[in-house]
Amino acid sequence: MNITLCTLFEGNYHFGVAALSNSLIAAGYAGDLWVGYRGALPGWIVDSPAFDRATGQMQVAPTLKLCMIELDTPLHFTYYKPTFIREMFEKHAPATTMVAYIDPDIVVKCDWPAFMGWFTEDGISLAEDVNWCFPARHPKRLLWNRFFEPHGATPRRTLERYYNAGFIAVSRQHLDFLDLWRRLCDLVVAYNANSKQLKAGGSAALFHSTDQDALNFALTVCEAPLNTAGPEAMDFAPGGYYLSHAIGSIKPWHGGHIGLALRGRPPTAASKWYYRFANAPIKVYSDGELAKRQLSLKLAAAIGRVYKRG
């Protein structure tokens, strides 16, 4: 199986791209990571002697090459995922049989052979979200059915789980699923009249998690086999060993760990895993800055053991 990996970033999410890359190297992945970006590239890329400005490529380790792709789209990148994944098949990696998209606030915890077990050429690979329980006749699912039916999208199966859009792997034989997901994203964007926000309205809004809601409805319309893991696969629940996903607006690289702990928000598992991969072999912090951040994380964890917000 020929697998291609890709991610999307802008702004300070480049810190996450570095950690994701480092985690892939540690896992034993050998290949390319295609990185779609908007805005300026960070210094750790453009100032590196390994960065080829002409090709946008950077050999960060003997086994891993970053392939940078500048993108020009007004969409929030969360809506651009199905388009970007399809471009991997059509343009950037035409020989691939499987494309896996991984958000830049995720790191891979397990070794690559274990991760490979998640992929099959006949299916779509996913992990359940932090709010994973989503019954087949949940009120919001019923509302989605009514919304999408006039647009020719009708469920062909029922699902009881809600999946996170931070990681998804799609095989070449399911390109039609990517087209469906992209079309549903377009409908959600039009409904919310906002193409630049990750969330829309409150939790009761018809489409609050936007592209992720579109993804979960698309999964009921398509009939591809689903290769799924529970919420623990992203560290949303204890016991996981595949991925660690730093969800929420405050990312590990934003720092401020002690202040957050004093407000009852101790470091998450994802924050701790981020710093395991934050600085080697790709180095984005000075040794002194990294040591300071790691000490802050340890102190914040100690505070969290005695004080948590109720």
Side-chain angles (χ1 to χ4, degrees):
M1 189 185 308
N2 187 344
I3 298 175
T4 296
L5 304 184
C6 63
T7 191
L8 292 163
F9 92 92
E10 60 182 329
N12 60 33
Y13 278 69
H14 70 86
F15 288 104
V17 173
L20 170 60
S21 301
N22 288 337
S23 75
L24 289 169
I25 295 166
Y29 169 71
D32 298 336
L33 175 61
W34 293 84
V35 183
Y37 73 95
R38 182 164 47 198
L41 288 172
W44 65 264
I45 294 178
V46 297
D47 296 337
S48 170
F51 179 59
D52 186 334
R53 292 178 181 270
T55 63
Q57 297 181 354
M58 180 179 174
Q59 194 77 40
V60 296
T63 57
L64 183 67
K65 180 173 64 181
L66 301 186
C67 303
M68 313 304 297
I69 307 171
E70 186 173 12
L71 300 174
D72 181 17
T73 174
L75 291 174
H76 190 292
F77 273 162
T78 195
Y79 295 109
Y80 198 71
K81 292 175 187 178
T83 299
F84 193 57
I85 295 170
R86 208 182 203 295
E87 287 178 352
M88 293 297 114
F89 288 109
E90 295 176 334
K91 182 178 179 181
H92 303 301
T96 195
T97 55
M98 170 81 62
V99 175
Y101 171 86
I102 307 176
D103 268 349
D105 53 3
I106 291 175
V107 296
V108 178
K109 297 163 59 175
C110 64
D111 61 68
W112 185 251
F115 199 57
M116 277 280 292
W118 211 334
F119 305 138
T120 63
E121 292 189 6
D122 68 335
I124 297 171
S125 304
L126 301 151
E128 292 176 11
D129 194 35
V130 63
N131 298 311
W132 53 268
C133 184
F134 199 41
R137 294 190 64 81
H138 187 283
K140 189 168 284 191
R141 284 200 192 272
L142 299 179
L143 290 171
W144 289 353
N145 292 348
R146 296 167 197 158
F147 175 84
F148 285 116
E149 185 178 12
H151 300 283
T154 303
R156 299 176 184 176
R157 64 176 165 192
T158 59
L159 295 173
E160 301 286 341
R161 298 291 187 265
Y162 185 86
Y163 298 98
N164 188 278
F167 162 74
I168 181 170
V170 181
S171 64
R172 179 174 290 277
Q173 63 183 275
H174 295 305
L175 295 180
D176 56 340
F177 170 77
L178 295 173
D179 295 334
L180 171 66
W181 183 16
R182 178 171 55 187
R183 184 166 69 89
L184 299 188
C185 280
D186 290 343
L187 292 170
V188 171
V189 167
Y191 175 83
N192 286 329
N194 195 332
S195 63
K196 298 182 179 181
Q197 296 294 324
L198 176 63
K199 299 288 186 178
S203 297
L206 182 60
F207 300 109
H208 173 57
S209 294
T210 58
D211 79 302
Q212 197 161 269
D213 288 347
L215 167 67
N216 278 272
F217 187 79
L219 293 171
T220 67
V221 176
C222 84
E223 296 178 294
L226 303 183
N227 309 324
T228 65
E232 75 284 350
M234 286 191 172
D235 273 348
F236 299 151
Y241 48 83
Y242 286 112
L243 305 168
S244 199
H245 190 175
I247 58 173
S249 60
I250 301 175
K251 302 302 180 183
W253 54 85
H254 290 150
H257 307 298
I258 293 176
L260 288 169
L262 290 172
R263 294 196 294 273
R265 298 180 61 180
T268 63
S271 291
K272 297 172 185 177
W273 277 98
Y274 166 78
Y275 280 103
R276 291 194 187 193
F277 298 111
N279 222 42
I282 298 173
K283 191 171 183 177
V284 295
Y285 302 108
S286 68
D287 291 342
E289 175 64 17
L290 181 64
K292 183 171 68 174
R293 284 172 170 265
Q294 289 175 328
L295 177 59
S296 170
L297 193 71
K298 290 179 181 178
L299 292 173
I303 293 170
R305 284 193 284 271
V306 296
Y307 172 61
K308 292 181 182 179
R309 184 170 57 185

